[in-house]
Amino acid sequence: MAASQNFKDLQWALQVIKSGNISLHSISFFLSQPTSGCHQETENSMNVNISKDSILCFSQLLTALATAKDSQESLRNLEFHFVEWEVQQLRNLGMLLENNLNIKQLVFRRNRLIAECLWELSEILKRNGVIKEIMFSESAIGAAGAGLLASALKVNDSLEELQIWEDSIGSKGAEELSKMIEVNSTLKLLTIFDSNSITATPLISAVLARNRTMEVHIWSGVNGEKSSKVVEFVPENSTLRIYRLDVSGACRVACALGWNSTVKSLDLTGVRLKSKWAKEFRFVLEQNHSLKEVTLSRTCLKDKGVVYVAAGLFKNQSLETLYLDGNWFTGIGVEHLLCPLSRFSALQYQANMTLKSVTFGGGRTKIGRDGLAAILQMLTTNQTVMRLGIQDDESLRQEDFVKIFRSLERNATLRHLSLQGCKGVGGELVLQTIMETLQVNPWIEDIDLSRTPLQNSGKTDGIYQKLGQNGRTEPEIDLLKDMPLTVPKSCRVFFCGQEYAGKTTLCNSISQNFSYSKLPYMDQVRTLVNPVEQAVRTAGMKVKTFKDEDTKISIWNLAGQHEFYSLHDLMFPGHGSPSFFLIVSSLFRKPTNRESKTSAEIEEDLQYWLRFIASNSRRAAQQCMLPNVTVVLTHYDKINQPSQEFQAAVNSIQSLRDKFQGFVDFYPTVFTVDARSSASVSKLTHHLRKTSKTILQRVPRVFELCNDLIQILSDWRSENYNKPAMKWKEFDELCQVKVPSLRIRSRHDNKDKVAMRRRAIANCLHHIGEVIYFNELGFLILDCEWFCGEVLGQLIRLDARKQSTTENGFISRKELEKILRGSLQSQIPGMGSKVFENLDASDLVRMMLKLELCYEQYPSDPNSLLLIPSILEEGRGRTQRWQLIAPDCIYAGRHLHCDDSSHMFLTPGFFPRLQVHLHNRIMGLKIHGATYSLEKYLILININGIHVRIELGGQLGHYIDILACSTKNLTETLRLFQQLIIPAIQGLCHGVTLHESIIRPESVRNLIPPRYRKAQFVPVQVLKQALLSVPAEGMYDYQHTWCSVSDSGRPILQAGFDFARDLLSDDDFREVLHRRYHDLYNLAVELQVSPEANPDGLDNPATSMEEQDKVEATFGGIAKGVEAVLQRLKIIEQEIRDLKQEIQGLRYYEHRLLLELHRKVNYLVNYNVQVEERKVPNMFYFVTTENYSRRLVTNIIPGMAALRLHMLCEFRREMHVVEDQVGCEMMQIDNMTVKSLAPYMKKFMKLVTFALQIGAHLAAGMGQMIPDLSRAIAHLVEPSLMYGAAGAVAAGAVGAAAVSQVAGSSSRNKGRTLGGESSRDFQQHQRAAQQWIVDFLRDRRCSTGREIAEKFGLWRVRYRDSGQIAWICRSHMNTRSHEIIEVPL
């Protein structure tokens, strides 16, 4: 054979292999060729042709390759074509594979392998750990070969790819391979081409059942047919695609999918399925948690099959997309399919919450009437489906699609709707409905109308344009600002009164006057009431509504029983609400007898309700109008003639009118009626009508939209079985559909702002009494009488002693729901039975929790017990004592009382809400070990070793006592008061102002009854003012004295005292120091003195106490604990030293300012000594006499009369008021006097102010004539200088500020005098005042020394050292005689 350049003989091949001159990657052997030779295809690949005569060369080549270890390290692939293997040749191949560890691929194309060869190959694969890929193509390995391969691959852990092409392994071989798959986890690719598609079933089933991440491709071709793919599984995208499989095979695959976690997308398009498969697939849907998408298009499923699929959807929690188009089911199948995606009651949860996309339809799918109803129900109630496809439908008509689009008006979830090829989507009506729906529903992003009559006619452009508009961001508009306002059309009348007052009877009679006003003869009809019925109390609150022309008047009959009082706060009208009050009181104690009430009893009845109204109406910071109150006295028909007692009652009502002037608007007429007679109440009815119209005109206007919504809500109730409440989501839907101005116009709108507008409208409806709405409620209560009378009334009437499940005031949730369920089943007129399907007792419990009418014992436990304060019992007769008894305990108490307890009080609803609110706040802090327990008027708290008692006290509850026994220091204990407890109390009492006082610690320690604590507290501000009044050196040791307490001569508490530092926290004490510094700072500014830096650094924060570690029960632990205690004592001692040092710095600062102040005063007194040689005193002031006391005149104006002129003792540094000074009377102030004295008085009053602020003796005695100095001289001193004014003696002083350095020096103020006035102006004012006093005393014949001494008690003296003249008192004449020389005139 002639050899060319590329075609060599076999000897050359042997030589190349042995020498290794060519780096071969791939060698292909072709046997049974006509001639032998080799052909080098590429630089790294070689084809070897071997003829039948050269078979021995094949073995030689294999042997050469096996022995040439080093020369062929690059060999990777071996291919064998047309090889009829013998056992020895396979052994040579085995040796080659064992010696060369780089061969990764073996390919056998049209080989012939006898059984022994297959077994040998199997053994080779068992031993080999290198080969990654084996392919058999048309090698007729059969089922036996497949079995041997399977047995080898059970052991082999390196092979990753196995391909068997056109080798009929059959079902038996497939089963063997499936067993291998169950064991082998390294195989990554399996490709099978078999003549029978049945081979796919066991293989893919094994892959799925064992969760193998193996790529599978199985092909088949039957009887010479064109080959087609049967199964494809690609782990990279987790997609399983089945193209052709019989029913039994499909069922087996379904079984394998049950617990599979590798398949996320299953596609069975075109596979003919039956209900048998669907039954298996149902369990797949129930068990599988990884399937996200299932495509069952054109699978010939009928109703039964779809029912099974739908049943699986009920429990499925992972599937997101389902395609069922092109199947053969009817409306029954559609009904079942959409059932898990729908809700049939407001109380029912949607079964499947994960499915986002569903598609069905087709020419053989008959949706029909049942299917349409199911579609409408799903679109109306579903909250998860974002894509819906109804494709190629021929059964639905135009009006059916109109209904579908109408239902989309309330759907805020669906984003994509596909109606491809639906014959019924056409016509103007459908087009108009689609446009109207898109106007209401901006959430739909896409509507696919391809191949529909509407699309074919070219009428869909407007639809797509509107979809684009809904996707644009609209400019924000403040809709509330632009909405018109109008006069409200509904007014509420609250009937207040005690039980048996006749409120219900009166309401019925007024009702008759409204109902029969057009029938005159009915006005004289008396409603005869059986005395037994008359004595029956009305249980709970009742509401009656009347129409008076275009005005709606609703009468809210507040329950008179005391147990209902705690709910009245919830019903009280808000600020600006159109409402007024009728206080109804009976003239008799019981309607069944003639025992009349005394005037005191009637006054007590009325006073409670007046205080209740005043307390609640004060909640509004600015009232547009006072609450209107009318008094009605019932059972007047039983009085034969007016008696003295009746007249006394009238007088007491008049006194109440005077007392509550400024708190309520009292109607001047008191109505006396027989509540049973419609004729007797006719004037009262007229008054109601007239007052309602008047109030509607006076109250603030409401949104015009509110009046429209009243009718919309009424229509909604009638359409929804007269439901008493609607969820907020339902209100949102109603606004979106019915109220264009409250509609979300684009899906990019600011939803929070739209929600805020809707809440504002709901609040407005609440204020006018149409609904009950609270932001945290989540519901709108449309039937107020039902909620207040039935629901809340059930709580009030709940008797804890009769409930088997109650314990210490707690009741189980199930028991409470059972009780509340009775309120839902009460016979409410007009309420349909289906209301029970839309409102559950658990909803009512959630309402109560949000309204803080009860709380959960363990909030994290869904079955936690609930505590309702209304069922708590009083703890009378129990011994009150502290649970914590230790020698190092400290005791602290605070007393909070109403500032005006004669007009206001803490309403009965306050303390129960406080009990719940405080519990929720404490539990929200998640403090480990905190405990909380309640009694009727008591809260017991234990937080970190601080035991707290909160007691409600006083007549009708006008004060609260907070008592504490603590192992912590006083500051930590009081911080708990100030940061947690007191803010919670003030947050609930709203407009009622509470003043804080300090309770005597001894009374807290002994827990003496509240009646003995009345004289055992001091207001906090009074104690702070007292500290400001004492000199700086006395502040730390200031004592507050307590009086003794006794009962019928028996001592309860002895008299005693406590240091102020033991009553105030460190924070309060430092506040007092800061206020003192602030007053000194203002004085320094006025005197142009630059104070030195604070040596103690007031800005340094209080020393923080780190929490000590727990003491271990060992000697080392005890030693550590002792060391910690000693360290704590050192810190406390250092704090005391710091405080004393701070006070010392305060004394030094105060001393410097006093020296400067005296210098200024002496300058003022002795200015211009030459003016008549000081022949008259200079320091004068005016007083006026009021109620046998003198008041300082701080400002003079023309026309003032009955003033007296007085003089101060002018002794240097000890100026003071002279006792028993007669003074001179002034008849009237004229303009000349004002002109002469006003500038002088301004300067003089400034000096007096600052002297009193720092507690100086400069103007001793003058403070007693100034009850409120801060108010008296506010026009004289700058506001910044008055901050914290009046220190020692001014009870109205407020403010505290930290001391800072005064910038600048006195040199910049050169030429300025007190108050920043120039020296020239000051001289003129001083000279004018001195001249006026000389002239005034001359006119009063008081110009000589003797006359001045008689009227003013002052004598003229000269200081020995300076020679200056001064007028001083007799006391200084005696005690300072060595410093002065008398200079008589």
Side-chain angles (χ1 to χ4, degrees):
M1 167 181 158
S4 64
Q5 182 181 359
N6 294 326
F7 195 81
K8 313 293 184 182
D9 58 15
L10 294 178
Q11 292 301 322
W12 178 85
L14 281 171
Q15 184 180 357
V16 168
I17 291 172
K18 290 178 180 181
S19 65
N21 292 332
I22 299 177
S23 178
L24 293 175
H25 291 174
S26 176
I27 300 178
S28 300
F29 294 96
F30 292 83
L31 272 68
S32 301
Q33 297 299 309
T35 59
S36 297
C38 62
H39 174 73
Q40 187 174 354
E41 284 191 342
T42 65
E43 182 181 354
N44 302 113
S45 64
M46 177 187 291
N47 290 343
V48 180
N49 296 336
I50 301 175
S51 64
K52 293 181 180 180
D53 299 333
S54 306
I55 296 298
L56 291 176
C57 293
F58 178 54
S59 298
Q60 291 174 1
L61 289 171
L62 292 177
T63 304
L65 288 171
T67 55
K69 296 181 180 179
D70 299 331
S71 60
Q72 295 301 332
E73 291 182 355
S74 61
L75 189 60
R76 299 286 186 270
N77 306 323
L78 288 176
E79 291 190 15
F80 302 98
H81 300 261
F82 308 104
V83 178
E84 295 182 3
W85 290 91
E86 296 178 359
V87 175
Q88 184 59 43
Q89 293 172 342
L90 272 172
R91 288 173 181 170
N92 293 336
L93 177 60
M95 185 182 302
L96 167 61
L97 296 176
E98 288 178 3
N99 294 335
N100 192 323
L101 301 180
N102 295 315
I103 297 176
K104 306 297 183 184
Q105 183 184 45
L106 287 178
V107 178
F108 299 94
R109 296 185 186 275
R110 297 186 179 183
N111 284 224
R112 291 295 177 263
L113 295 165
I114 61 176
E116 290 81 0
C117 294
L118 288 172
W119 182 87
E120 187 65 35
L121 180 60
S122 173
E123 292 299 317
I124 293 173
L125 292 177
K126 288 179 180 179
R127 296 190 301 268
N128 189 280
V130 178
I131 294 178
K132 300 295 184 184
E133 178 182 353
I134 295 180
M135 184 179 76
F136 295 93
S137 177
E138 302 179 61
S139 296
I141 63 173
L148 290 170
L149 282 175
S151 64
L153 295 182
K154 288 180 181 179
V155 179
N156 183 287
D157 59 356
S158 63
L159 191 69
E160 295 181 355
E161 296 184 13
L162 174 61
Q163 301 183 46
I164 302 176
W165 291 87
E166 298 189 22
D167 285 346
S168 298
I169 62 174
S171 61
K172 185 176 179 181
E175 292 290 350
E176 292 298 328
L177 287 176
S178 69
K179 295 176 183 178
M180 175 272 296
I181 293 171
E182 293 178 0
V183 177
N184 188 299
S185 60
T186 59
L187 201 60
K188 301 301 181 185
L189 174 64
L190 176 63
T191 303
I192 304 292
F193 187 101
D194 201 87
S195 60
N196 195 339
S197 62
I198 196 172
T199 56
T201 300
L203 295 174
I204 192 62
S205 299
V207 171
L208 299 177
R210 301 299 294 177
N211 288 314
R212 301 298 183 207
T213 56
M214 180 191 305
E215 185 174 348
V216 179
H217 300 275
I218 301 178
W219 300 71
S220 73
V222 181
N223 298 327
E225 292 182 3
K226 186 178 179 181
S227 61
S228 61
K229 184 170 280 191
V230 180
V231 171
E232 177 185 74
F233 175 54
V234 183
E236 291 180 359
N237 55 19
S238 302
T239 301
L240 174 61
R241 176 76 168 90
I242 299 177
Y243 297 89
R244 183 157 50 90
L245 213 59
D246 58 16
V247 174
S248 61
C251 291
R252 183 170 177 178
V253 172
C255 292
L257 281 171
W259 299 103
N260 178 271
S261 60
T262 58
V263 178
K264 293 184 178 179
S265 176
L266 173 63
D267 189 349
L268 288 165
T269 302
V271 179
R272 191 178 182 94
L273 300 175
K274 294 186 177 181
S275 59
K276 179 181 178 181
W277 174 87
K279 185 176 182 180
E280 296 294 337
F281 190 66
R282 167 190 175 178
F283 298 105
V284 174
L285 292 175
E286 292 177 350
Q287 297 169 356
N288 188 287
H289 299 289
S290 62
L291 269 178
K292 301 296 182 184
E293 179 179 347
V294 173
T295 303
L296 301 177
S297 302
R298 304 190 305 278
T299 55
C300 305
L301 282 176
K302 298 182 180 179
D303 287 335
K304 188 175 181 180
V306 174
V307 169
Y308 281 125
V309 174
L313 292 177
F314 275 97
K315 293 185 179 181
N316 181 275
Q317 298 298 325
S318 63
L319 190 65
E320 296 178 357
T321 304
L322 176 62
Y323 292 94
L324 281 168
D325 53 300
N327 286 283
W328 300 352
F329 53 89
T330 65
I332 297 175
V334 175
E335 186 177 4
H336 283 82
L337 175 65
L338 300 182
C339 183
L341 304 176
S342 307
R343 290 183 300 122
F344 301 91
S345 165
L347 305 180
Q348 178 188 3
Y349 290 104
Q350 184 177 311
N352 186 297
M353 300 294 292
T354 57
L355 194 62
K356 307 296 184 197
S357 174
V358 60
T359 302
F360 55 88
R364 302 189 65 175
T365 300
K366 306 300 180 182
I367 295 177
R369 183 182 302 175
D370 294 334
L372 176 63
I375 293 172
L376 298 178
Q377 184 70 25
M378 188 274 289
L379 291 176
T380 305
T381 61
N382 182 272
Q383 300 174 352
T384 58
V385 173
M386 302 179 68
R387 290 177 179 269
L388 174 64
I390 304 174
Q391 298 181 358
D392 298 305
D393 177 77
E394 299 178 0
S395 62
L396 295 178
R397 298 168 296 177
Q398 290 187 8
E399 52 268 28
D400 297 331
F401 284 102
V402 168
K403 294 178 181 178
I404 289 174
F405 280 102
R406 291 291 184 203
S407 66
L408 285 175
E409 292 180 351
R410 299 177 182 272
N411 188 303
T413 307
L414 196 71
R415 297 292 183 268
H416 304 273
L417 176 64
S418 175
L419 299 175
Q420 290 185 31
C422 292
K423 302 300 183 184
V425 181
E428 291 296 330
L429 181 59
V430 173
L431 177 61
Q432 180 183 353
T433 305
I434 295 175
M435 296 300 295
E436 292 174 356
T437 300
L438 293 179
Q439 189 70 29
V440 173
N441 187 336
W443 312 116
I444 299 177
E445 299 176 8
D446 178 53
I447 300 178
D448 187 355
L449 299 175
S450 57
R451 298 186 290 109
T452 62
L454 207 60
Q455 174 85 12
N456 297 336
S457 62
K459 296 181 179 179
T460 57
D461 293 341
I463 296 175
Y464 295 125
Q465 183 180 359
K466 180 59 182 175
L467 285 170
Q469 292 175 357
N470 287 351
R472 289 202 299 263
T473 303
E474 296 286 341
E476 293 188 2
I477 302 175
D478 190 352
L479 296 180
L480 289 181
K481 183 178 179 181
D482 297 334
M483 284 195 299
L485 300 175
T486 186
V487 175
K489 294 183 179 180
S490 58
C491 182
R492 283 184 289 177
V493 186
F494 289 90
F495 276 28
C496 310
Q498 310 296 332
E499 55 184 343
Y500 300 118
K503 299 186 295 298
T504 303
T505 307
L506 180 63
C507 184
N508 292 335
S509 298
I510 292 175
S511 173
Q512 288 189 0
N513 275 335
F514 272 99
S515 303
Y516 303 108
S517 57
K518 296 182 179 180
L519 303 176
Y521 70 92
M522 289 296 295
D523 288 344
Q524 305 300 322
V525 175
R526 165 172 293 190
T527 306
L528 298 177
V529 181
N530 189 299
V532 176
E533 296 176 351
Q534 204 175 28
V536 175
R537 301 184 301 176
T538 302
M541 195 196 75
K542 302 296 181 183
V543 179
K544 282 202 173 186
T545 303
F546 314 104
K547 289 289 289 184
D548 182 27
E549 297 176 353
D550 62 340
T551 302
K552 176 183 174 182
I553 302 175
S554 56
I555 296 178
W556 292 50
N557 183 0
L558 299 182
Q561 298 90 329
H562 286 276
E563 57 266 27
F564 283 90
Y565 282 10
S566 61
L567 299 179
H568 289 163
D569 287 352
L570 288 174
M571 303 302 106
F572 197 87
H575 170 58
S577 172
S579 59
F580 62 100
F581 299 87
L582 252 67
I583 303 181
V584 183
S585 180
S586 174
L587 292 169
F588 292 84
R589 291 173 181 164
K590 297 281 185 177
T592 55
N593 57 39
R594 292 184 174 273
E595 188 178 355
S596 61
K597 287 182 181 179
T598 63
S599 60
E601 290 174 325
I602 295 176
E603 182 177 357
E604 182 182 355
D605 290 350
L606 299 179
Q607 186 162 236
Y608 168 82
W609 292 105
L610 288 170
R611 291 176 68 186
F612 171 79
I613 295 169
S615 300
N616 276 295
S617 61
R618 279 296 181 94
R619 293 179 180 179
Q622 296 180 349
Q623 289 179 282
C624 61
M625 54 182 286
L626 294 175
N628 189 291
V629 174
T630 301
V631 174
V632 179
L633 300 178
T634 59
H635 299 109
Y636 184 69
D637 57 298
K638 296 182 180 180
I639 298 179
N640 297 326
Q641 57 183 3
S643 61
Q644 292 183 350
E645 192 63 41
F646 178 76
Q647 186 60 41
V650 173
N651 295 336
S652 66
I653 294 174
Q654 179 61 43
S655 66
L656 287 176
R657 180 184 294 113
D658 298 338
K659 178 180 178 180
F660 283 88
Q661 186 176 5
F663 292 87
V664 299
D665 183 7
F666 237 115
Y667 188 68
T669 301
V670 177
F671 289 90
T672 55
V673 300
D674 173 11
R676 299 174 300 167
S677 170
S678 58
S680 178
V681 302
S682 59
K683 292 183 178 179
L684 178 61
T685 304
H686 177 72
H687 168 70
L688 293 184
R689 287 174 167 162
K690 182 179 178 182
T691 306
S692 297
K693 294 184 181 297
T694 302
I695 287 179
L696 290 175
Q697 293 296 325
R698 292 175 58 189
V699 297
R701 297 193 171 193
V702 299
F703 298 114
E704 189 175 285
L705 182 59
C706 289
N707 291 333
D708 300 334
L709 261 175
I710 293 173
Q711 185 59 46
I712 293 174
L713 290 173
S714 177
D715 296 340
W716 183 89
R717 283 197 71 188
S718 61
E719 295 169 2
N720 290 272
Y721 314 105
N722 207 20
K723 285 172 60 175
M726 73 185 310
K727 294 182 178 180
W728 183 254
K729 182 178 180 297
E730 295 172 321
F731 183 72
D732 274 339
E733 293 176 354
L734 192 66
C735 292
Q736 186 69 25
V737 176
K738 299 289 187 180
V739 189
S741 55
L742 294 180
R743 183 176 292 163
I744 298 175
R745 296 165 295 153
S746 165
R747 52 182 170 272
H748 297 296
D749 269 359
N750 189 327
K751 304 179 188 64
D752 293 336
K753 286 195 173 184
V754 176
M756 179 191 69
R757 296 167 192 149
R758 293 173 179 176
R759 285 194 296 270
I761 295 297
N763 278 317
C764 187
L765 291 171
H766 172 84
H767 284 317
I768 63 178
E770 290 298 328
V771 301
I772 296 176
Y773 169 71
F774 300 98
N775 288 335
E776 64 274 11
L777 198 59
F779 278 85
L780 267 77
I781 307 298
L782 306 180
D783 193 327
C784 303
E785 179 180 0
W786 165 79
F787 183 70
C788 301
E790 294 294 335
V791 178
L792 300 184
Q794 292 283 358
L795 305 182
I796 299 304
R797 292 189 289 268
L798 183 63
D799 190 344
R801 292 167 295 185
K802 294 182 180 179
Q803 302 298 328
S804 58
T805 57
T806 56
E807 179 183 356
N808 298 327
F810 287 94
I811 182 172
S812 71
R813 183 186 291 265
K814 290 183 179 179
E815 187 72 21
L816 181 59
E817 290 181 0
K818 178 181 177 182
I819 294 168
L820 294 176
R821 198 168 289 115
S823 67
L824 289 174
Q825 296 172 351
S826 61
Q827 296 300 319
I828 304 175
M831 186 176 293
S833 60
K834 288 198 175 182
V835 70
F836 310 134
E837 302 174 7
N838 299 308
L839 193 65
D840 189 61
S842 60
D843 293 327
L844 300 179
V845 173
R846 283 193 292 271
M847 289 184 198
M848 292 167 53
L849 290 171
K850 290 179 180 179
L851 290 175
E852 294 190 331
L853 297 176
C854 64
Y855 69 77
E856 295 174 301
Q857 186 179 21
Y858 304 108
S860 59
D861 182 6
N863 297 318
S864 171
L865 295 176
L866 302 173
L867 186 135
I868 306 172
S870 61
I871 66 176
L872 289 172
E873 299 179 3
E874 294 188 45
R876 294 180 178 177
R878 303 176 186 175
T879 303
Q880 303 295 329
R881 63 179 182 178
W882 292 108
Q883 296 180 356
L884 179 66
I885 301 176
D888 60 341
C889 286
I890 64 102
Y891 298 89
R894 289 295 183 265
H895 176 83
L896 305 178
H897 63 278
C898 297
D899 63 336
D900 187 2
S901 58
S902 63
H903 294 97
M904 290 179 289
F905 64 102
L906 300 173
T907 58
F910 163 77
F911 201 70
R913 289 197 67 190
L914 175 65
Q915 290 173 316
V916 178
H917 178 71
L918 200 54
H919 169 272
N920 292 341
R921 288 193 62 175
I922 292 175
M923 294 301 110
L925 296 175
K926 297 182 179 178
I927 302 174
H928 179 69
T931 62
Y932 192 90
S933 59
L934 303 178
E935 292 182 12
K936 188 72 173 177
Y937 302 111
L938 177 65
I939 302 174
L940 300 173
I941 308 171
N942 177 16
I943 300 178
N944 294 332
I946 304 176
H947 292 256
V948 181
R949 294 171 59 93
I950 304 174
E951 302 176 356
L952 176 68
Q955 185 180 10
L956 296 179
H958 66 267
Y959 72 82
I960 288 181
D961 284 345
I962 310 171
L963 315 175
C965 170
S966 172
T967 57
K968 308 291 183 181
N969 59 41
L970 179 65
T971 298
E972 290 183 56
T973 304
L974 292 181
R975 278 176 182 167
L976 177 65
F977 287 10
Q978 298 297 335
Q979 297 175 8
L980 178 63
I981 298 175
I982 293 179
I985 294 172
Q986 292 175 339
L988 290 179
C989 65
H990 301 289
V992 178
T993 304
L994 298 176
H995 291 308
E996 181 181 350
S997 299
I998 302 171
I999 302 177
R1000 181 179 179 180
E1002 188 67 22
S1003 64
V1004 178
R1005 176 196 299 269
N1006 298 324
L1007 284 180
I1008 64 172
R1011 63 181 181 275
Y1012 299 131
R1013 294 201 293 260
K1014 292 181 179 179
Q1016 297 298 301
F1017 57 82
V1018 56
V1020 173
Q1021 293 302 322
V1022 171
L1023 185 60
K1024 290 181 179 179
Q1025 295 297 343
L1027 285 174
L1028 289 170
S1029 68
V1030 299
E1033 63 269 17
M1035 292 180 66
Y1036 189 75
D1037 295 323
Y1038 178 82
Q1039 300 173 356
H1040 179 78
T1041 304
W1042 305 101
C1043 62
S1044 61
V1045 178
S1046 60
D1047 184 7
S1048 302
R1050 179 173 60 89
I1052 304 298
L1053 279 178
Q1054 300 294 333
F1057 68 88
D1058 284 295
F1059 288 106
R1061 64 176 184 264
D1062 295 332
L1063 299 176
L1064 296 172
S1065 66
D1066 292 349
D1067 302 330
D1068 291 330
F1069 208 91
R1070 288 183 182 276
E1071 179 193 340
V1072 174
L1073 291 178
H1074 290 175
R1075 288 177 59 181
R1076 190 68 168 263
Y1077 270 111
H1078 183 77
D1079 292 336
L1080 293 174
Y1081 171 79
N1082 287 334
L1083 180 58
V1085 172
E1086 185 67 26
L1087 298 177
Q1088 290 87 44
V1089 176
S1090 179
E1092 294 179 357
N1094 177 18
D1096 301 296
L1098 273 179
D1099 293 333
N1100 293 338
T1103 305
S1104 60
M1105 302 295 294
E1106 294 184 358
E1107 186 177 356
Q1108 302 298 324
D1109 294 334
K1110 294 183 179 179
V1111 177
E1112 300 176 0
T1114 62
F1115 287 109
I1118 295 173
K1120 182 180 178 181
V1122 172
E1123 182 181 353
V1125 172
L1126 293 176
Q1127 184 66 26
R1128 186 179 178 87
L1129 289 175
K1130 289 180 181 179
I1131 294 174
I1132 294 174
E1133 290 175 2
Q1134 183 63 40
E1135 283 185 343
I1136 294 175
R1137 285 196 294 271
D1138 292 344
L1139 195 58
K1140 288 185 175 180
Q1141 189 175 1
E1142 202 168 327
I1143 294 175
Q1144 188 67 28
L1146 179 64
R1147 291 178 57 194
Y1148 170 71
Y1149 188 23
E1150 189 175 280
H1151 177 69
R1152 290 185 63 242
L1153 290 179
L1154 283 175
L1155 290 178
E1156 181 66 18
L1157 180 62
H1158 289 309
R1159 188 181 68 78
K1160 295 284 185 179
V1161 171
N1162 288 334
Y1163 172 78
L1164 187 63
V1165 172
N1166 296 292
Y1167 178 77
N1168 196 2
V1169 179
Q1170 290 76 23
V1171 177
E1172 298 195 16
E1173 297 181 354
R1174 292 296 316 279
K1175 291 184 178 180
V1176 296
N1178 272 354
M1179 307 305 290
F1180 60 89
Y1181 62 94
F1182 296 99
V1183 299
T1184 181
T1185 303
E1186 295 181 4
N1187 299 327
Y1188 305 100
S1189 63
R1190 297 187 301 171
R1191 292 180 62 88
L1192 181 68
V1193 176
T1194 59
N1195 189 27
I1196 57 174
I1197 58 176
M1200 295 181 66
L1203 304 182
R1204 295 194 72 83
L1205 174 73
H1206 288 272
M1207 303 285 189
L1208 292 174
C1209 171
E1210 299 174 356
F1211 194 86
R1212 55 189 177 188
R1213 295 186 297 278
E1214 295 181 12
M1215 182 177 68
H1216 65 91
V1217 174
V1218 179
E1219 295 293 333
D1220 301 326
Q1221 189 180 83
V1222 177
C1224 287
E1225 184 176 0
M1226 287 192 64
M1227 297 306 296
Q1228 192 169 8
I1229 299 293
D1230 55 19
N1231 291 329
M1232 184 60 67
T1233 302
V1234 172
K1235 183 177 180 180
S1236 301
L1237 298 185
Y1240 163 82
M1241 289 189 67
K1242 179 177 180 180
K1243 309 300 179 301
F1244 175 67
M1245 288 308 304
K1246 280 191 177 182
L1247 290 177
V1248 172
T1249 299
F1250 291 118
L1252 292 176
Q1253 283 179 347
I1254 65 174
H1257 297 291
L1258 177 68
M1262 187 163 289
Q1264 299 172 358
M1265 294 183 288
I1266 316 175
D1268 193 345
L1269 186 66
S1270 62
R1271 185 182 303 169
I1273 56 136
H1275 64 286
L1276 297 176
V1277 187
E1278 294 297 326
S1280 60
L1281 301 180
M1282 284 309 302
Y1283 188 66
V1289 297
V1294 294
V1299 176
S1300 60
Q1301 300 245 353
V1302 179
S1305 62
S1306 58
S1307 62
R1308 288 181 298 199
N1309 296 314
K1310 203 168 188 179
R1312 311 292 292 179
T1313 185
L1314 189 65
E1317 190 178 27
S1318 66
S1319 298
R1320 180 178 300 175
D1321 293 340
F1322 180 75
Q1323 292 174 9
Q1324 293 177 355
H1325 295 156
Q1326 180 74 0
R1327 189 177 294 113
Q1330 289 175 338
Q1331 187 60 52
W1332 181 89
I1333 194 67
V1334 169
D1335 296 340
F1336 175 79
L1337 293 178
R1338 185 183 297 117
D1339 293 342
R1340 295 297 186 275
R1341 300 181 185 276
C1342 187
S1343 57
T1344 65
R1346 182 177 61 83
E1347 293 169 342
I1348 291 175
E1350 290 177 355
K1351 286 188 176 293
F1352 300 104
L1354 301 176
W1355 282 263
R1356 188 168 179 263
V1357 299
R1358 186 189 302 275
Y1359 295 113
R1360 293 179 186 271
D1361 52 2
S1362 64
Q1364 293 179 343
I1365 301 294
W1367 289 82
I1368 66 174
C1369 65
R1370 173 62 65 185
S1371 175
H1372 280 116
M1373 289 280 291
N1374 296 331
T1375 58
R1376 305 291 181 141
S1377 58
H1378 60 285
E1379 300 180 28
I1380 59 173
I1381 300 173
E1382 185 174 0
V1383 187
L1385 285 176

